[in-house]
Structures are given as C-alpha cells and as structure tokens.
Amino acid sequence: MENCIFCKIIEGDIPSYKVYEDEHVYAFLDITQVTKGHTLVIPKKHLKDLFDYNDEDAAQVFARLPKIAKALERAFPEMEGLNMVNNNKELAYQTVFHSHIHLIPRYSKEDQFSLSFGNVENTRTPEEMTAIAEAIAKKVN
C-alpha cells in the first residue's frame, strides 16, 4: 500500500530496528519501547487488520510469534512475562492500519505497561451468555 508506514519499513524506505525477517513476516522494535524489547510483528503482505486475514495469512504470521517471543525471553532472562496485543479497527485503538502484533516483555508490575479489564464478572445472566455463545457459534465457518 502506497502510504502505509509499515509497508515502507518492509521495503526499507523507512529505517527500523529489525529483529526478525523471513518471506512472510517482518519483526522490529516498536519506537515507543513501552518496555525494553517491545517488538512489532507484521505480515509482509499488506493486511489492514485481523479481519483481512485468510487461513494461510494467519498460519504464516501467527506461527512466527512463539519463535520471536522465545528470542525475547532468551535475550532478556530477567523478563517475567509477555503481553501479546493486537488492536483491530480504530475503536479498538488501532492507529496504524497495517496489521501488527505487539510483543511486550514484562519485567515487573511497575513497568511502563498496563492492561486492565473492569470487573464485569456476573453482569450477564446464564441465558444471556448462552444467547451470545450461540450467536457467535452460528457464524463460525
């Protein structure tokens, strides 16, 4: 895509701190470095978001995630965990519209990253939960 910053990074038109590359995937350090080693994994094929993936795209991209995550763990043995974050569409905080997965190493509860969910447990009845599950299940193909 012509004006996509990530496509330009893949092409080498914009510099990046590459950590991994093969024929399907390019991984590089996020310039924000929320935590040390914060890495973005992107498909070389321009896919806007997860909704653009087909089965082959998903297999190619997601199969590389454990390899890159394990490299982070080996590079930073002090790492105590890792968040994998993928935002899809503007409402879900996607700001670059080329699919990307954040691998964010975690070193302590006091590091620069926070992800929390409100306490909404038990706010839906079992009947509502059943209806939601059935609506989704009917659309899985």
Side-chain angles (χ1 to χ4, degrees):
M1 177 162 264
E2 190 174 311
N3 289 318
C4 173
I5 190 170
F6 286 174
C7 288
K8 290 177 181 181
I9 288 172
I10 292 165
E11 293 300 317
D13 297 335
I14 295 175
S16 67
Y17 298 96
K18 178 173 68 172
V19 300
Y20 177 80
E21 180 178 16
D22 65 22
E23 64 275 13
H24 300 287
V25 166
Y26 191 87
F28 58 101
L29 295 180
D30 188 304
I31 60 171
T32 66
Q33 286 299 283
V34 171
T35 65
K36 181 176 66 177
H38 178 180
T39 299
L40 297 178
V41 180
I42 64 174
K44 285 190 166 180
K45 175 181 177 182
H46 182 85
L47 300 167
K48 182 178 173 189
D49 55 34
L50 186 61
F51 301 103
D52 275 354
Y53 282 69
N54 61 34
D55 290 348
E56 166 114 6
D57 298 328
Q60 296 300 338
V61 174
F62 287 87
R64 272 60 174 192
L65 295 174
K67 175 187 284 200
I68 300 164
K70 289 173 187 175
L72 285 163
E73 187 175 49
R74 287 190 299 271
F76 306 113
E78 68 275 22
M79 190 174 95
E80 295 184 21
L82 180 128
N83 285 95
M84 183 173 76
V85 179
N86 175 241
N87 304 323
N88 296 279
K89 301 191 184 286
E90 190 172 351
L91 183 63
Y93 306 109
Q94 185 177 5
T95 57
V96 176
F97 297 94
H98 181 125
S99 181
H100 55 288
I101 296 102
H102 295 260
L103 298 180
I104 304 170
R106 300 302 306 277
Y107 300 98
S108 76
K109 290 181 180 179
E110 289 77 38
D111 61 24
Q112 296 296 313
F113 182 73
S114 174
L115 180 67
S116 63
F117 299 96
N119 185 3
V120 293
E121 186 177 352
N122 298 322
T123 58
R124 299 200 185 270
T125 67
E127 294 78 20
E128 288 175 308
M129 296 294 283
T130 299
I132 292 168
E134 288 174 355
I136 297 166
K138 286 179 187 175
K139 299 297 181 177
V140 176
N141 34 338

